[in-house]
Amino acid sequence: MRVLDSHLHLWDPELLEYDWLEGPLAFRFADTELEHARLEHATTEKSVFVQAETVEDRFLDEVRWVTTMAEPLGIVGIVAGARLDRGSDTVAHLDGLAAEPLVVGVRHNLQGEPDGLAVSAAFVTGARDVAQRGWSFDACVRADQLPEIARLAGAIPELRMVLDHLGKPAVGTAAEPLAPTSEWVRDLDELARHPEVFCKLSGLPGEAAGDWDAGQLVPFLDAAADAFGPERLMWGSDWPVSVIGPAEEGDPHAPADGSPTYQYTARSRWADAVAAWAADRGHGVDAIMWANAESFYRTDARPTVFTDPAPRRRGILGWLRG
């Protein structure tokens, strides 16, 4: 099975600043750590890096840092951080990103933003500029924000957009699962009416706080397939955000107090769960695990980028600023 992970994060708090990292996530997750989290059943593995919400003035530095690791890690595209409501500053930032050959799209993380921002005049103008550059937009929103994203899609029908994490519905836990709500299904269906909007099968293990099983999440995958059709679905790991939870059985490093910890096999388990679901439903495993993401992000047309890996650790702060 070939896999193109449509939603991979990397970060290093020693090199870039992050205001949101805490607990088991407040450590380095980069090249070495990813090599230890490779997918067990993937014959070929590539990834699209999605911005990890470093502080705003380091968005471009983040792109440059990830580019240094792209070739050995199999990263074929970068979804860069961008604020789309900054007017001329947004244009200047997008111009800077245009010089980075691996950039395929941008993400303005909307899940913590006030209602109405995504359909404000400033944001729509910035998003329209993204579309004109041929890039895509990753929409990371809460379930209650789905109608707003549908309005954005209606305002800019030419904007290729992908919904991260199915809109973050409440899924419960393995022991106490929740069914999809009628409101979430309704709003997902409405968003899917826009043909340029895709959906990532990602993030649900994180919404379950790492306490999940495949059967619990199948109804949400089915709802996404019913709304978008399998041709607009793509798998994403949301690594390492979605691999934090109760210690896995046999973990010799499990915290004695039972607190959440890193789950070593969770990335592979999520890939296997979605692939098994797709096969069972006859949706086309290769499309969901590889081809749809390749087509959406246009990574098959990206040039090969070779970089000097020497600055990866020592002296990288000065190199990034340069």
Side-chain angles (χ1 to χ4, degrees):
M1 175 177 68
R2 60 178 188 162
V3 179
L4 175 52
D5 185 347
S6 69
H7 204 95
L8 178 81
H9 299 297
L10 302 166
W11 58 72
D12 188 342
E14 293 184 10
L15 302 180
L16 298 168
E17 297 84 52
Y18 309 85
D19 294 334
W20 63 278
L21 292 181
E22 61 182 7
L25 291 176
F27 298 93
R28 183 178 192 268
F29 288 94
D31 46 359
T32 301
E33 294 75 19
L34 180 60
E35 290 296 349
H36 290 288
R38 289 300 188 185
L39 301 174
E40 182 179 358
H41 297 122
T43 55
T44 301
E45 182 183 330
K46 303 290 184 181
S47 299
V48 171
F49 168 82
V50 176
Q51 63 98 210
E53 205 65 6
T54 186
V55 294
E56 183 179 342
D57 65 353
R58 305 303 301 277
F59 282 166
L60 186 55
D61 291 344
E62 180 180 57
V63 170
R64 292 170 173 167
W65 172 61
V66 172
T67 298
T68 68
M69 300 180 287
E71 183 189 355
L73 292 184
I75 294 172
V76 295
I78 291 175
V79 176
R83 291 285 311 200
L84 298 184
D85 59 342
R86 297 284 200 255
S88 60
D89 288 344
T90 292
V91 174
H93 179 62
L94 297 180
D95 286 344
L97 292 178
E100 301 299 326
L102 280 179
V103 171
V104 295
V106 301
R107 183 170 82 160
H108 178 144
N109 198 336
L110 290 167
Q111 62 183 334
E113 296 284 17
D115 292 346
L117 179 68
V119 291
S120 66
F123 192 97
V124 171
T125 298
R128 189 168 284 122
D129 193 351
V130 171
Q132 291 171 348
R133 294 169 188 266
W135 292 337
S136 61
F137 175 69
D138 265 58
C140 184
V141 297
R142 307 180 309 271
D144 63 286
Q145 293 174 301
L146 287 173
E148 194 168 304
I149 296 305
R151 290 172 59 197
L152 176 64
I156 316 174
E158 69 276 18
L159 177 63
R160 290 180 298 112
M161 190 187 309
V162 60
L163 177 65
D164 293 348
H165 316 326
L166 292 84
K168 309 192 79 169
V171 300
T173 64
E176 298 181 357
L178 295 176
T181 66
S182 59
E183 292 82 7
W184 175 75
V185 172
R186 176 200 65 207
D187 293 342
L188 200 69
D189 289 345
E190 183 61 32
L191 179 60
R193 295 181 192 280
H194 300 277
E196 293 299 319
V197 181
F198 284 58
C199 181
K200 289 185 183 180
L201 305 181
S202 60
L204 296 188
E207 294 306 301
D211 182 6
W212 62 277
D213 62 38
Q216 167 202 1
L217 301 180
V218 159
F220 297 88
L221 302 180
D222 285 340
D226 289 343
F228 289 91
E231 68 278 3
R232 286 192 285 155
L233 301 178
M234 62 185 81
W235 178 79
S237 69
D238 192 31
W239 185 88
V241 177
S242 282
V243 298
I244 303 298
E248 296 175 311
E249 185 175 354
D251 179 0
H253 306 293
D257 62 359
S259 59
T261 188
Y262 180 81
Q263 299 172 330
Y264 291 90
T265 72
R267 184 169 181 254
S268 284
R269 286 192 287 116
W270 179 234
D272 291 347
V274 173
W277 164 81
D280 181 67
R281 296 294 194 259
H283 288 328
V285 174
D286 186 71
I288 289 173
M289 304 301 293
W290 179 285
N292 293 345
E294 181 181 56
S295 175
F296 177 83
Y297 284 118
R298 300 174 177 172
T299 59
D300 54 338
R302 305 302 298 177
T304 301
V305 177
F306 297 97
T307 59
D308 178 4
R312 189 175 300 165
R313 295 296 293 173
R314 183 173 295 178
I316 195 168
L317 288 179
W319 171 76
L320 287 171
R321 288 300 193 187

